[in-house]
Amino acid sequence: MGNSVTVNHVTLSLVKFEKFVTNIPAANRPTGPLVNISGAEGSNSTPYTVTVLAYLPDNPLNRVENTSGLQLQGNEIYLNYYGINPVNILNKEGGTDTVQGREFRVEFNCKEETTNYDLYYIQFTYKVESGASADMIWVRDEDEDPETDRGTVSTPVDGD
């Protein structure tokens, strides 16, 4: 298996990182990453497998600021963990509910707008060493440069 790192009492281990579709026009890119998790959180010490499809710009990438998580590609792409944070999710009635979500981000830093994206397959496990269970997990692909970040479907809850 790939590299491992422990951040905020959670151990992340890389299983696979692969670029597998290139030159996807920006118009064909979904607004958020596609995520699949192996099971709901229960007791500590169980590793959970997470699969993510992330769309990243095919432009040259710059060094990312937060390198505390799993290194995916040089200093340009990292999987970072941000703890358990409140997140708004859609409910069946068409409104939103606030739940506690374990937040992961596939982070990169692209200084310019891109017209094409590459699709990456990322699979990792996380194991809660200590602390509370989360109601859900969420993963965003996020550009550290706010001028070119397109955002995603999940909405963090603004703190007071």
Side-chain angles (χ1 to χ4, degrees):
M1 192 158 14
N3 54 346
S4 291
V5 65
T6 300
V7 182
N8 295 336
H9 310 292
V10 171
T11 300
L12 306 173
S13 298
L14 184 63
V15 177
K16 187 168 186 164
F17 175 72
E18 175 186 354
K19 182 192 313 186
F20 73 107
V21 180
T22 59
N23 298 315
I24 299 166
N28 295 346
R29 175 187 181 256
T31 55
L34 309 167
V35 184
N36 183 358
I37 183 169
S38 62
E41 287 188 4
S43 61
N44 288 345
S45 80
T46 303
Y48 301 99
T49 301
V50 180
T51 304
V52 180
L53 298 178
Y55 291 82
L56 305 183
D58 71 353
N59 294 356
L61 300 177
N62 299 298
R63 176 184 297 267
V64 297
E65 299 290 323
N66 183 356
T67 57
S68 65
L70 283 175
Q71 183 181 46
L72 300 179
Q73 177 178 298
N75 290 319
E76 301 171 340
I77 305 173
Y78 271 80
L79 173 73
N80 288 316
Y81 172 60
Y82 286 88
I84 296 179
N85 298 302
V87 62
N88 289 328
I89 60 168
L90 296 174
N91 61 29
K92 292 177 190 168
E93 292 75 38
T96 60
D97 293 330
T98 301
V99 298
Q100 297 301 310
R102 197 174 296 284
E103 182 180 357
F104 300 94
R105 295 183 200 165
V106 178
E107 291 186 311
F108 58 94
N109 184 345
C110 185
K111 294 289 188 203
E112 58 204 46
E113 288 284 351
T114 188
T115 55
N116 288 301
Y117 287 83
D118 295 329
L119 180 59
Y120 290 81
Y121 175 93
I122 306 162
Q123 188 174 62
F124 67 97
T125 63
Y126 75 91
K127 184 168 93 171
V128 179
E129 303 296 346
S130 64
S133 289
D135 297 322
M136 61 171 283
I137 71 153
W138 51 302
V139 183
R140 297 191 291 168
D141 46 6
E142 182 164 278
D143 188 344
E144 287 187 338
D145 185 337
E147 292 180 13
T148 56
D149 184 24
R150 292 184 38 169
T152 60
V153 176
S154 301
T155 320
V157 175
D158 294 326
D160 294 315

